[in-house]
Amino acid sequence: MDTANSRLTLLLKHKGLTGTELAEQIGTSQPTISAILNGKRNLSRGMIARINDLFPDLNTGWLLTGEGNMLRQSKDDEIEIPEEEDKQTQLIPFYDAETTGGYHGLVSSSDTEAELKGYIQAGGWFGGKETAAIRHVGDSMIEYPNGCILAVREVTERRLLVPGRNYVIETDEYRVTKRVQRGSSPTTIALYSSNEEKYEDGRLIHEPFEIEFEDIRRIFSVLGYIVNQSGEYRLIKP
């Protein structure tokens, strides 16, 4: 797959450098570079800036998007790198998948593996804590506009789930955005909607439900959302 990470491998081959040598020259660790070259970690904006400083002839646009030539032919090839104080701002990987608060009980499928579609520059809004961005659709979570982009961070320690906070819950069958509460047993969590609309008989349209921990494939903490209005974010294709 043609990604920024794989293009970095091509760049190193062209420059005659190993991953270890690159790590030494840009002041980072060898395991970090290995993880990037193996596709297990994404290039941050700070890392891109340091690579750009090391290789002044690098076409940063090619590294990020694959478009154009590897080496800079003109200033038009360049994607602007932030000033020093912004270099650690991370590009958020944006995946071609969606989560839903639910349209009257409907949920998003998680049958297919999400593909990386590009990177979003969100101006450091989330402090570099985000690990991914994903589309949100539905009307049961009123704090998130239908069609917005959620910035999320994967939670690896289930015991750290905070009751009352919003999470994206992924199972083998579906992916939903819900407010998490303690379940009726130690092996479950309860998922609530913030939309409290009711039918005429008083029953909630978006009723809470419980899920077994063992059925959960991944959990992401929702850090906030991004809307595509007036250029508030830019998608950079991998």
Side-chain angles (χ1 to χ4, degrees):
M1 181 183 295
D2 186 25
T3 65
N5 296 22
S6 64
R7 287 189 289 275
L8 179 59
T9 300
L10 293 177
L11 175 65
L12 293 182
K13 184 176 181 180
H14 178 78
K15 295 292 186 178
L17 290 177
T18 65
T20 300
E21 290 169 333
L22 175 65
E24 291 175 352
Q25 293 192 40
I26 66 174
T28 191
S29 67
Q30 190 275 331
T32 295
I33 295 299
S34 293
I36 290 171
L37 296 176
N38 292 330
K40 297 179 180 179
R41 179 171 177 170
N42 293 307
L43 280 165
S44 68
R45 287 171 72 176
M47 187 75 69
I48 293 167
R50 280 179 277 171
I51 292 171
N52 187 71
D53 290 341
L54 179 62
F55 305 122
D57 59 343
L58 170 65
N59 174 5
T60 312
W62 169 84
L63 180 61
L64 288 173
T65 69
E67 298 177 1
N69 299 307
M70 177 188 295
L71 303 182
R72 182 162 52 86
Q73 305 297 310
S74 69
K75 291 185 178 179
D76 292 337
D77 287 335
E78 286 297 286
I79 289 178
E80 184 179 353
I81 299 295
E83 296 298 325
E84 184 65 33
E85 61 268 24
D86 293 328
K87 282 185 178 181
Q88 297 305 316
T89 301
Q90 184 176 346
L91 292 170
I92 311 175
F94 175 62
Y95 291 91
D96 184 24
E98 65 182 29
T99 177
T100 181
Y103 280 119
H104 302 285
L106 298 180
V107 296
S108 293
S109 171
S110 63
D111 290 356
T112 57
E113 189 68 24
E115 292 185 6
L116 179 66
K117 301 301 284 187
Y119 298 87
I120 289 177
Q121 290 179 325
W125 292 351
F126 309 106
K129 297 178 180 179
E130 65 279 1
T131 56
I134 186 172
R135 284 190 314 294
H136 170 85
V137 297
D139 56 2
S140 76
M141 299 298 288
I142 58 176
E143 55 269 72
Y144 305 131
N146 180 32
C148 73
I149 305 297
L150 297 182
V152 299
R153 180 184 68 220
E154 186 164 8
V155 177
T156 55
E157 291 286 342
R158 306 283 173 86
R159 60 185 177 83
L160 299 180
L161 291 179
V162 180
R165 290 191 180 178
N166 296 342
Y167 294 87
V168 172
I169 309 295
E170 182 180 281
T171 73
D172 288 335
E173 297 182 358
Y174 61 81
R175 189 182 298 111
V176 294
T177 311
K178 293 294 178 185
R179 187 162 297 165
V180 167
Q181 300 289 358
R182 290 186 177 88
S184 59
S185 75
T187 64
T188 65
I189 55 173
L191 305 182
Y192 282 74
S193 300
S194 57
N195 187 338
E196 297 182 348
E197 287 185 281
K198 297 179 180 180
Y199 293 108
E200 292 182 0
D201 62 3
R203 183 174 177 177
L204 286 170
I205 293 175
H206 305 283
E207 290 189 328
F209 60 96
E210 294 195 4
I211 181 173
E212 294 280 345
F213 274 109
E214 64 181 19
D215 292 331
I216 297 174
R217 185 164 64 186
R218 291 190 296 179
I219 300 179
F220 299 87
S221 175
V222 180
L223 303 177
Y225 70 87
I226 310 163
V227 290
N228 188 11
Q229 295 176 349
S230 304
E232 289 184 15
Y233 74 79
R234 178 164 60 129
L235 179 64
I236 301 176
K237 294 182 179 179

